[in-house]
CSV table of all heavy atoms in Angstrom, one decimal:
chain,number,residue,atom,x,y,z
W,415,ASP,N,134.0,135.0,153.8
W,415,ASP,CA,132.6,135.3,153.3
W,415,ASP,C,132.6,136.6,152.4
W,415,ASP,O,131.9,136.6,151.4
W,415,ASP,CB,131.7,135.6,154.5
W,415,ASP,CG,131.1,134.2,155.2
W,415,ASP,OD1,131.4,133.2,154.5
W,415,ASP,OD2,130.5,134.4,156.2
W,416,GLU,N,133.3,137.6,152.9
W,416,GLU,CA,133.4,138.8,152.1
W,416,GLU,C,134.1,138.6,150.8
W,416,GLU,O,133.6,139.1,149.7
W,416,GLU,CB,134.1,139.9,153.0
W,416,GLU,CG,134.4,141.2,152.3
W,416,GLU,CD,133.2,142.0,151.9
W,416,GLU,OE1,132.1,141.8,152.5
W,416,GLU,OE2,133.3,142.8,150.9
W,417,LYS,N,135.1,137.8,150.8
W,417,LYS,CA,135.7,137.5,149.5
W,417,LYS,C,134.8,136.9,148.5
W,417,LYS,O,134.7,137.3,147.3
W,417,LYS,CB,136.9,136.6,149.7
W,417,LYS,CG,138.2,137.3,150.4
W,417,LYS,CD,139.3,136.3,150.6
W,417,LYS,CE,140.5,137.1,151.3
W,417,LYS,NZ,141.5,136.2,151.6
W,418,LEU,N,134.0,135.9,149.0
W,418,LEU,CA,133.0,135.3,148.1
W,418,LEU,C,132.0,136.2,147.6
W,418,LEU,O,131.6,136.1,146.5
W,418,LEU,CB,132.4,134.1,148.9
W,418,LEU,CG,131.6,133.0,148.0
W,418,LEU,CD1,132.5,132.5,147.0
W,418,LEU,CD2,130.9,132.1,148.9
W,419,ARG,N,131.5,137.1,148.5
W,419,ARG,CA,130.5,138.1,148.1
W,419,ARG,C,131.1,139.0,146.9
W,419,ARG,O,130.4,139.3,146.1
W,419,ARG,CB,130.1,139.0,149.3
W,419,ARG,CG,129.0,138.3,150.1
W,419,ARG,CD,128.3,139.3,151.1
W,419,ARG,NE,129.3,140.0,152.0
W,419,ARG,CZ,129.6,139.5,153.2
W,419,ARG,NH1,129.1,138.4,153.7
W,419,ARG,NH2,130.4,140.1,154.0
W,420,GLN,N,132.3,139.4,147.2
W,420,GLN,CA,132.9,140.3,146.1
W,420,GLN,C,133.0,139.5,144.8
W,420,GLN,O,132.7,140.2,143.8
W,420,GLN,CB,134.3,140.7,146.7
W,420,GLN,CG,134.2,141.7,147.8
W,420,GLN,CD,135.6,142.2,148.3
W,420,GLN,OE1,136.6,141.9,147.7
W,420,GLN,NE2,135.6,142.9,149.5
W,421,LEU,N,133.5,138.4,144.8
W,421,LEU,CA,133.8,137.6,143.6
W,421,LEU,C,132.4,137.4,142.9
W,421,LEU,O,132.3,137.6,141.7
W,421,LEU,CB,134.5,136.3,143.9
W,421,LEU,CG,134.5,135.3,142.7
W,421,LEU,CD1,135.2,135.9,141.5
W,421,LEU,CD2,135.2,134.0,143.2
W,422,ASP,N,131.4,137.0,143.7
W,422,ASP,CA,130.1,136.8,143.1
W,422,ASP,C,129.5,138.0,142.6
W,422,ASP,O,128.9,138.0,141.5
W,422,ASP,CB,129.2,136.2,144.2
W,422,ASP,CG,128.2,135.2,143.6
W,422,ASP,OD1,128.5,134.7,142.5
W,422,ASP,OD2,127.2,134.9,144.2
W,423,ALA,N,129.6,139.1,143.3
W,423,ALA,CA,129.1,140.4,142.8
W,423,ALA,C,129.7,140.8,141.4
W,423,ALA,O,129.1,141.3,140.6
W,423,ALA,CB,129.3,141.5,143.8
W,424,TRP,N,131.0,140.5,141.4
W,424,TRP,CA,131.8,140.8,140.1
W,424,TRP,C,131.3,140.0,139.0
W,424,TRP,O,131.1,140.5,137.9
W,424,TRP,CB,133.3,140.6,140.4
W,424,TRP,CG,134.2,140.8,139.3
W,424,TRP,CD1,134.6,142.0,138.9
W,424,TRP,CD2,134.8,139.8,138.4
W,424,TRP,NE1,135.5,141.8,137.8
W,424,TRP,CE2,135.6,140.5,137.5
W,424,TRP,CE3,134.7,138.4,138.3
W,424,TRP,CZ2,136.3,139.8,136.4
W,424,TRP,CZ3,135.5,137.7,137.4
W,424,TRP,CH2,136.2,138.4,136.4
W,425,ARG,N,130.9,138.8,139.2
W,425,ARG,CA,130.4,137.9,138.1
W,425,ARG,C,129.0,138.4,137.8
W,425,ARG,O,128.7,138.6,136.6
W,425,ARG,CB,130.3,136.5,138.6
W,425,ARG,CG,131.6,135.8,138.8
W,425,ARG,CD,131.2,134.3,139.0
W,425,ARG,NE,132.5,133.4,139.1
W,425,ARG,CZ,132.8,132.8,140.2
W,425,ARG,NH1,132.0,132.9,141.4
W,425,ARG,NH2,133.9,132.0,140.3
W,426,ILE,N,128.2,138.7,138.8
W,426,ILE,CA,126.8,139.0,138.6
W,426,ILE,C,126.7,140.3,137.7
W,426,ILE,O,125.9,140.5,136.9
W,426,ILE,CB,126.1,139.3,139.9
W,426,ILE,CG1,125.8,137.9,140.6
W,426,ILE,CG2,124.7,140.0,139.8
W,426,ILE,CD1,125.5,138.1,142.1
W,427,ILE,N,127.5,141.3,138.2
W,427,ILE,CA,127.3,142.6,137.6
W,427,ILE,C,127.7,142.6,136.1
W,427,ILE,O,127.0,143.2,135.2
W,427,ILE,CB,128.2,143.7,138.3
W,427,ILE,CG1,127.7,145.1,137.8
W,427,ILE,CG2,129.5,143.6,138.0
W,427,ILE,CD1,126.4,145.6,138.4
W,428,GLN,N,128.7,141.9,135.7
W,428,GLN,CA,129.1,141.7,134.3
W,428,GLN,C,128.1,140.8,133.5
W,428,GLN,O,127.7,141.2,132.3
W,428,GLN,CB,130.5,141.3,134.1
W,428,GLN,CG,131.5,142.4,134.7
W,428,GLN,CD,132.9,141.9,134.7
W,428,GLN,OE1,133.7,142.2,133.8
W,428,GLN,NE2,133.3,141.1,135.7
W,429,ARG,N,127.7,139.8,134.1
W,429,ARG,CA,126.7,139.0,133.4
W,429,ARG,C,125.4,139.7,133.2
W,429,ARG,O,124.7,139.5,132.2
W,429,ARG,CB,126.4,137.7,134.2
W,429,ARG,CG,127.7,136.7,134.3
W,429,ARG,CD,127.4,135.6,135.2
W,429,ARG,NE,126.4,134.7,134.7
W,429,ARG,CZ,125.8,133.7,135.4
W,429,ARG,NH1,126.1,133.7,136.7
W,429,ARG,NH2,124.9,132.9,134.9
W,430,SER,N,125.2,140.6,134.2
W,430,SER,CA,123.9,141.4,134.1
W,430,SER,C,123.9,142.5,132.9
W,430,SER,O,122.9,142.7,132.2
W,430,SER,CB,123.5,142.2,135.4
W,430,SER,OG,124.3,143.4,135.4
W,431,HIS,N,125.1,142.9,132.6
W,431,HIS,CA,125.2,143.8,131.4
W,431,HIS,C,124.9,143.0,130.1
W,431,HIS,O,124.3,143.5,129.2
W,431,HIS,CB,126.7,144.4,131.3
W,431,HIS,CG,127.0,145.1,132.5
W,431,HIS,ND1,126.2,145.9,133.3
W,431,HIS,CD2,128.3,145.3,133.3
W,431,HIS,CE1,126.7,146.5,134.3
W,431,HIS,NE2,128.0,146.1,134.2
W,432,ALA,N,125.4,141.8,130.1
W,432,ALA,CA,125.1,140.9,129.0
W,432,ALA,C,123.6,140.7,128.9
W,432,ALA,O,123.0,140.9,127.8
W,432,ALA,CB,125.8,139.5,129.2
W,433,ALA,N,123.0,140.3,130.0
W,433,ALA,CA,121.5,140.1,129.9
W,433,ALA,C,120.7,141.4,129.7
W,433,ALA,O,119.7,141.4,128.9
W,433,ALA,CB,121.0,139.5,131.3
W,434,ALA,N,121.0,142.5,130.3
W,434,ALA,CA,120.4,143.7,130.1
W,434,ALA,C,120.4,144.2,128.6
W,434,ALA,O,119.5,144.9,128.1
W,434,ALA,CB,120.9,144.8,131.0
W,435,ASN,N,121.4,143.9,127.9
W,435,ASN,CA,121.7,144.4,126.6
W,435,ASN,C,121.7,143.4,125.5
W,435,ASN,O,121.9,143.6,124.3
W,435,ASN,CB,123.0,145.2,126.5
W,435,ASN,CG,123.0,146.4,127.6
W,435,ASN,OD1,122.3,147.3,127.3
W,435,ASN,ND2,123.7,146.3,128.6
W,436,ALA,N,121.6,142.1,125.9
W,436,ALA,CA,121.6,141.0,124.9
W,436,ALA,C,122.9,140.9,124.1
W,436,ALA,O,122.9,140.8,123.0
W,436,ALA,CB,120.4,140.9,124.1
W,437,LEU,N,123.9,141.2,124.9
W,437,LEU,CA,125.3,141.1,124.3
W,437,LEU,C,126.2,140.2,124.9
W,437,LEU,O,126.3,140.1,126.1
W,437,LEU,CB,126.0,142.5,124.4
W,437,LEU,CG,125.3,143.7,123.5
W,437,LEU,CD1,126.0,145.0,123.9
W,437,LEU,CD2,125.4,143.4,122.0
Side-chain angles (χ1 to χ4, degrees):
Chain W
D415 278 358
E416 173 63 22
K417 287 178 179 175
L418 193 59
R419 279 195 298 271
Q420 292 181 5
L421 171 57
D422 210 22
W424 178 78
R425 289 188 180 118
I426 289 166
I427 194 75
Q428 291 174 100
R429 294 173 67 197
S430 83
H431 303 325
N435 299 291
L437 291 177

